[in-house]
Amino acid sequence: MWGGCGLRAARGRALGLAGVRRVGRKVEPPRATGLEGKQTNRTLLVIPWLFSNNGIMCLKSNNISFAYSNKMRSLRYVGTRFHSTSTTVDPKEMKIFQALAFKWWDEQGIYAPLHSMNDLRVPFIRDNLLKMVARHQLESPLSGMKILDVGCGGGLLCEPLGRLGALVTGIDPLNENIKTAQQHKSFDPILDKRIQYKACILEDIVEETAESFDAVVASEVVEHVNDLETFIQCCCKVLKPGGSLFITTINKTQLSYALAIIFAEQIAGIVPKGTHTWEKFVSPEQLESFLESNGLLVQTIIGMLYNPFSGYWRWTENTSLNYATHAVKSSVQAENEEHHAKAPGVHGMGASQK
Amino acid sequence: MAACVRFTRVLAVPGTTLGGPRLPGLRRLSCSVGPGQAVYDVVVAGGGMVGTAMACALGHNVHFRDKKILLLEAGSNKILEKLPETYSNRVSSISPGSATLLSSFGAWDHICNMRYKPFRRMQVWDACSEALITFDKDDLDDMGYIVENNVIMSALTKQLDAVPDQVEVLYRSKVISYTWPGPFFNTDTNPWVQITLADGHQLQTKLLIGADGQNSGVRHAAGIQNVCWPYDQSAVVATLHLSEPTDNNVAWQRFLPSGPIALLPLSDTLSSLVWSTSHEHAAELVSMEEENFLDAINSAFWSDASHTDFVDSAGSVLQYAFTLLQPTKSSARQLPPSVAKVDPQSRALFPLGMGHAVEYVRPRVALIGDAAHRVHPLAGQGVNMGFGDISSLLRHLSTAAFNGKDLGSMSHLTEYETERQRHNVSLIAATDLLKRLYSTTIAPLVLLRMWGLQATNAVSPLKVSPAPIWALRP
């Protein structure tokens, strides 16, 4: 789509393939004011005040006008950036979700897209976890696994995982969400035993649950956190070696601005207004670099597409909108090997960028 | 809002009881049951052929091994300890698709060990003209199987007993009421379906499957509208002995103006009769002397009384044209067997009608079998449609269970409904149309159906593609 694909095509198909992406290049963060702290998405976006530094890239990019509007948007947020809290949770975001805390379980209500996203993310988690274990037990595929759902909301994802046999811990900063989730699971005696909820943030439980989870799921969460690097570090700390991290989030592209912010929030009302802020969206490349710098090997990055007319999601090669990632925490020896294996690749890609 | 861009279903207004006064919009608040009470994953209401097969299929499904299923049946256990000598007068024609479903959970083997009759050919013709149509598979494969209903029930019950950990059966249980949670979502009300039995037991379930027949209590309680009308016809069934033993592998059906008469093979010497005719005539047939009864059957199959010269000559003109165009294609006209004896006590009759539920699903409830649709036996599709419902619902529930979904969620239930309604509505409409078309002796309509039948017979793809199994099932 748009210029992104054109640039990708120019780099060769290795980048645009769905499935396993073994590109391990690190993009140097731009030296600018601490305002954005974000790396350039070299396929589409340009930080406006770095325009002159990356002149070649800008000429290839076909969104010059967009770069100006980006500048205006980011200037508007200058004030808040300087005053943002040091934890990963943004109080402004929490206020928006507080108002909707009791609507989680209405399948045809405001959270309908998240309900139908389960058709994609539960099989994604289930199948990737099954790949890690030797025995396959079809009736309770995840039995014996301990899973942490960060930002569980009303428990939409915890309950299916619990039904598949896993022991799930769901955490969410909002008390109302946890209350809703607890009430909902209390009617099912099996889920009541398998799931436990806690109203807290990830940093609070890192110490006591270090290296205790087989999998951590952060679905539709990383686009709401303030400090992504810390968040990923905490996720990594609570994972067992060899454990899996599953993230679903929205890409930071022109398309996602147009569709996820303007269309979905303001025009069609598919998502409540103010739910997302475009600046917090994370591109797959950026996420991948954060993950790998924390010892998490990316296994899969795959795009997801929502059809608002049918209400169903489907997998797609294109990651310009929504995408899902599966990364595995390397155990110590493997980590060293990977570093040696990756080193020439990183430099190779870095060279071709310039 | 999401509601604007997506089709939203109208949710049920539940809380009505069977037999009690139905006030529109009355919502009975479910009594909050403590979390300690056991919750079933699926309850199948109705232990007929379709209900028992559904419970059996779920019990044998690999994704339901850790789930709790309950079958509620008002009657008693139907296992046949010993196969009776005499054949039952209630038989069904099982299509190859239904046979595949039954063998997927091992019931077909039991049927094969008891008794069943495959048939390879079907001949359907008109009383008012010479037109006929024959169905057979090119390599003379079995087109379908005639199996007695009690044999099917016994086989299903045996397979049900093989999975006692997954499926519980409550015989002689009568349901007093079904209650659903209200349509307005609230986290602190019990979200399950509450079932109250006559003996005071209260059950809870995540999904209720209604398989309780044409007067379905589940459908009534859920408030689902049923489009139905009675045909002014009753079907007479009997077990007949043929005049001489023959390689009895053809199913015969003749359309009389009063209704179709059909002879279904049971063995080399026995056949089952299904004769749909007016209520008065049916009552006469059941009560008349055996001799007269047999004469009536034989003349129904052999007599040419309804023919008119005009129609006959019109028919032979078209037939001549077809033989010119396709000289090699010949559907040899076979003569049906004549009958010599009827089994005592085997004559019975039952009224016929058409019915179709407007919706098959609501939140936490799904209808299958006769609870969802009722059809004229002239096409032999009644129980096969029910088995088709089971295949579809099983597939959707199995995927949902493997995805950890709430089994009562509308997302997969509506997919089942769409899939089955598309299939069933066209079949019911076609059967109804045929029944009306063949109930008349008016010359233009007779000509129309005669030419239609001849044309369909000559053009073989039309016969084969929808794979219609036209044998009969009471």
Side-chain angles (χ1 to χ4, degrees):
Chain A
M1 317 259 320
W2 299 32
C5 283
L7 279 175
R8 284 189 189 187
R11 301 273 145 127
R13 292 297 293 154
L15 298 178
L17 287 174
V20 176
R21 286 183 37 166
R22 294 251 166 239
V23 180
R25 83 263 167 270
K26 279 203 185 328
V27 178
E28 292 282 302
R31 304 190 143 268
T33 61
L35 280 182
E36 291 290 288
K38 284 191 176 34
Q39 302 165 13
T40 51
N41 178 343
R42 59 194 167 72
T43 53
L44 267 189
L45 302 173
V46 172
I47 305 289
W49 44 89
L50 298 175
F51 197 89
S52 50
N53 290 348
N54 300 331
I56 297 171
M57 275 176 63
C58 300
L59 283 175
K60 283 188 181 162
S61 165
N62 62 355
N63 54 5
I64 294 172
S65 58
F66 176 68
Y68 281 118
S69 71
N70 188 22
K71 177 179 186 170
M72 279 167 30
R73 276 184 66 83
S74 29
L75 283 177
R76 240 190 299 144
Y77 283 96
V78 162
T80 43
R81 289 273 172 247
F82 274 130
H83 299 303
S84 64
T85 64
S86 58
T87 66
T88 50
V89 165
D90 185 352
K92 263 172 50 242
E93 305 260 5
M94 297 219 326
K95 258 212 205 93
I96 293 173
F97 282 107
Q98 205 158 12
L100 302 164
F102 299 104
K103 304 205 177 170
W104 283 102
W105 286 100
D106 187 0
E107 277 185 35
Q108 269 93 31
I110 194 69
Y111 286 117
L114 279 181
H115 276 275
S116 77
M117 203 200 275
N118 275 349
D119 288 341
L120 245 48
R121 38 186 192 173
V122 175
F124 183 65
I125 296 171
R126 174 197 74 207
D127 294 340
N128 282 307
L129 285 178
L130 281 180
K131 275 190 224 164
M132 307 289 184
V133 289
R135 49 154 186 86
H136 285 254
Q137 203 186 319
L138 279 179
E139 69 269 18
S140 227
L142 299 181
S143 68
M145 303 226 180
K146 289 186 65 185
I147 302 185
L148 173 70
D149 185 0
V150 184
C152 63
L156 295 193
L157 188 49
C158 295
E159 293 205 1
L161 293 175
R163 280 190 203 106
L164 291 179
L167 292 170
V168 188
T169 305
I171 63 172
D172 196 275
L174 268 182
N175 264 322
E176 287 83 354
N177 284 349
I178 296 294
K179 190 156 155 278
T180 305
Q182 254 162 355
Q183 263 179 344
H184 195 264
K185 68 145 186 169
S186 66
F187 291 106
D188 186 337
I190 295 179
L191 286 184
D192 213 8
K193 276 185 277 183
R194 287 196 190 144
I195 307 177
Q196 40 164 327
Y197 292 112
K198 200 156 177 226
C200 64
I201 56 176
L202 183 56
E203 289 96 318
D204 293 342
I205 58 164
V206 164
E207 298 310 320
E208 70 205 27
T209 55
E211 296 212 350
S212 62
F213 291 107
D214 294 286
V216 172
V217 179
S219 178
E220 305 302 302
V221 160
V222 301
E223 68 262 26
H224 297 285
V225 301
N226 278 347
D227 184 352
L228 183 56
E229 179 117 47
T230 315
F231 181 80
I232 292 184
Q233 274 165 9
C234 295
C235 288
C236 193
K237 278 195 203 132
V238 301
L239 268 177
K240 288 181 187 163
S244 292
L245 173 62
F246 296 96
I247 293 180
T248 76
T249 185
I250 309 181
N251 198 345
K252 188 175 182 181
T253 60
Q254 236 172 332
L255 188 66
S256 72
Y257 182 68
L259 289 182
I261 309 280
I262 296 188
F263 180 73
E265 283 187 20
Q266 285 155 19
I267 298 179
I270 296 171
V271 173
K273 280 207 177 83
T275 305
H276 293 127
T277 31
W278 185 81
E279 278 68 27
K280 283 188 173 163
F281 287 176
V282 183
S283 72
E285 294 82 10
Q286 192 177 1
L287 186 64
E288 198 173 346
S289 72
F290 274 138
L291 289 170
E292 285 175 6
S293 63
N294 285 295
L296 288 155
L297 279 167
V298 174
Q299 307 285 321
T300 317
I301 299 185
I302 185 166
M304 308 193 290
L305 189 61
Y306 181 63
N307 181 341
F309 303 107
S310 71
Y312 288 113
W313 289 84
R314 58 182 179 89
W315 294 117
T316 171
E317 273 189 23
N318 195 320
T319 57
S320 343
L321 273 175
N322 297 72
Y323 64 95
T325 308
H326 171 219
V328 173
K329 176 173 177 177
S330 39
S331 35
V332 182
Q333 314 100 303
E335 199 177 56
N336 292 335
E337 283 168 36
E338 283 292 346
H339 264 302
H340 290 308
K342 277 206 176 338
V346 170
H347 288 150
M349 291 313 300
S352 71
Q353 265 184 17
K354 306 283 187 309
Chain B
M1 288 295 282
C4 306
V5 291
R6 278 179 55 203
F7 172 71
T8 46
R9 289 186 54 83
V10 174
L11 293 178
V13 177
T16 54
T17 64
L18 295 172
R22 283 191 63 199
L23 297 172
L26 175 68
R27 176 164 62 100
R28 175 193 286 192
L29 287 169
S30 52
C31 50
S32 63
V33 185
Q37 192 165 346
V39 181
Y40 287 99
D41 292 285
V42 181
V43 166
V44 182
M49 278 193 285
V50 175
T52 314
M54 182 87 233
C56 212
L58 285 172
H60 285 262
N61 184 285
V62 66
H63 296 125
F64 275 79
R65 270 198 220 136
D66 57 345
K67 306 254 189 278
K68 289 158 59 151
I69 304 160
L70 175 69
L71 175 63
L72 292 173
E73 163 56 21
S76 55
N77 192 317
K78 300 248 182 14
I79 286 199
L80 288 175
E81 293 304 334
K82 189 173 115 55
L83 201 57
E85 290 280 328
T86 47
Y87 279 73
S88 161
N89 60 0
R90 301 300 300 264
V91 304
S92 300
S93 127
I94 303 295
S95 64
S98 303
T100 312
L101 171 72
L102 291 173
S103 59
S104 73
F105 48 85
W108 190 248
D109 293 329
H110 293 304
I111 293 176
C112 294
N113 292 338
M114 285 188 269
R115 60 184 175 217
Y116 74 110
K117 185 81 173 90
F119 61 92
R120 304 212 167 86
R121 204 158 169 272
M122 211 173 335
Q123 183 167 301
V124 180
W125 71 111
D126 199 345
C128 298
S129 69
E130 289 293 328
L132 74 85
I133 185 169
T134 58
F135 296 95
D136 51 41
K137 292 210 173 143
D138 287 330
D139 38 0
L140 280 191
D141 255 352
D142 297 337
M143 284 192 72
Y145 311 92
I146 307 292
V147 191
E148 296 153 86
N149 289 359
N150 54 1
V151 167
I152 299 177
M153 276 307 303
S154 178
L156 290 171
T157 315
K158 265 196 208 139
Q159 275 310 97
L160 209 55
D161 291 343
V163 281
D165 295 327
Q166 281 79 31
V167 188
E168 231 180 280
V169 189
L170 272 183
Y171 289 107
R172 301 186 201 285
S173 58
K174 191 165 141 51
V175 177
I176 307 253
S177 74
Y178 301 100
T179 334
W180 281 265
F184 306 110
F185 172 72
N186 211 345
T187 22
D188 49 11
T189 51
N190 191 311
W192 313 129
V193 184
Q194 313 289 326
I195 305 173
T196 315
L197 299 178
D199 55 8
H201 277 112
Q202 270 256 331
L203 307 167
Q204 299 186 84
T205 177
K206 301 178 187 171
L207 173 65
L208 173 66
I209 298 183
D212 42 357
Q214 63 197 56
N215 297 317
S216 168
V218 173
R219 187 183 68 218
H220 184 84
I224 295 177
Q225 209 187 337
N226 190 34
V227 175
C228 61
W229 52 79
Y231 292 129
D232 288 322
Q233 285 185 340
S234 290
V236 175
V237 292
T239 314
L240 304 170
H241 293 249
L242 305 178
S243 313
E244 63 231 0
T246 157
D247 201 13
N248 199 6
N249 57 11
V250 184
W252 311 94
Q253 175 162 297
R254 192 178 198 203
F255 281 102
L256 308 173
S258 57
I261 178 171
L263 211 57
L264 304 171
L266 286 176
S267 73
D268 286 344
T269 53
L270 290 170
S271 282
S272 183
L273 171 80
V274 183
W275 191 348
S276 312
T277 179
S278 66
H279 295 304
E280 303 80 26
H281 190 213
E284 261 180 57
L285 285 170
V286 167
S287 50
M288 61 170 60
E289 296 291 328
E290 190 179 309
E291 295 290 327
N292 302 342
F293 182 63
L294 294 166
D295 286 339
I297 296 173
N298 283 325
S299 79
F301 274 113
W302 291 77
S303 144
D304 282 344
S306 315
H307 284 212
T308 55
D309 289 332
F310 167 61
V311 167
D312 277 349
S313 37
S316 50
V317 163
L318 189 63
Q319 197 57 39
Y320 183 61
F322 277 128
T323 38
L324 273 184
L325 290 169
Q326 289 180 312
T328 52
K329 177 101 185 83
S330 67
S331 40
R333 188 197 194 91
Q334 283 190 309
L335 298 170
S338 62
V339 295
K341 204 161 102 56
V342 57
D343 261 353
Q345 318 294 329
S346 73
R347 279 189 266 173
L349 64 79
F350 53 90
L352 301 176
M354 194 292 287
H356 190 254
V358 169
E359 301 161 85
Y360 286 7
V361 299
R362 286 239 170 134
R364 301 204 185 283
V365 67
L367 299 176
I368 57 174
D370 277 2
H373 42 72
R374 184 185 171 206
V375 75
H376 196 283
L378 69 84
Q381 291 307 301
V383 82
N384 292 313
M385 284 207 286
F387 285 139
D389 292 346
I390 294 177
S391 300
S392 169
L393 186 57
L394 182 69
R395 205 170 352 106
H396 286 108
L397 287 180
S398 183
T399 315
F402 194 43
N403 288 349
K405 271 167 100 162
D406 180 356
L407 289 176
S409 157
M410 281 297 274
S411 57
H412 53 268
L413 291 181
T414 38
E415 282 180 26
Y416 151 72
E417 180 192 58
T418 313
E419 199 181 302
R420 288 312 293 171
Q421 278 197 335
R422 272 192 203 140
H423 176 268
N424 293 344
V425 169
S426 34
L427 198 47
I428 294 176
T431 310
D432 194 72
L433 176 67
L434 280 170
K435 184 251 170 208
R436 289 174 199 281
L437 187 60
Y438 277 94
S439 305
T440 167
T441 44
I442 304 173
L445 286 174
V446 172
L447 276 178
L448 176 73
R449 72 196 194 206
M450 176 184 68
W451 285 333
L453 206 57
Q454 283 175 325
T456 316
N457 196 28
V459 182
S460 37
L462 268 179
K463 288 198 289 188
V464 169
S465 50
I469 307 299
W470 281 49
L472 297 180
R473 179 229 162 215

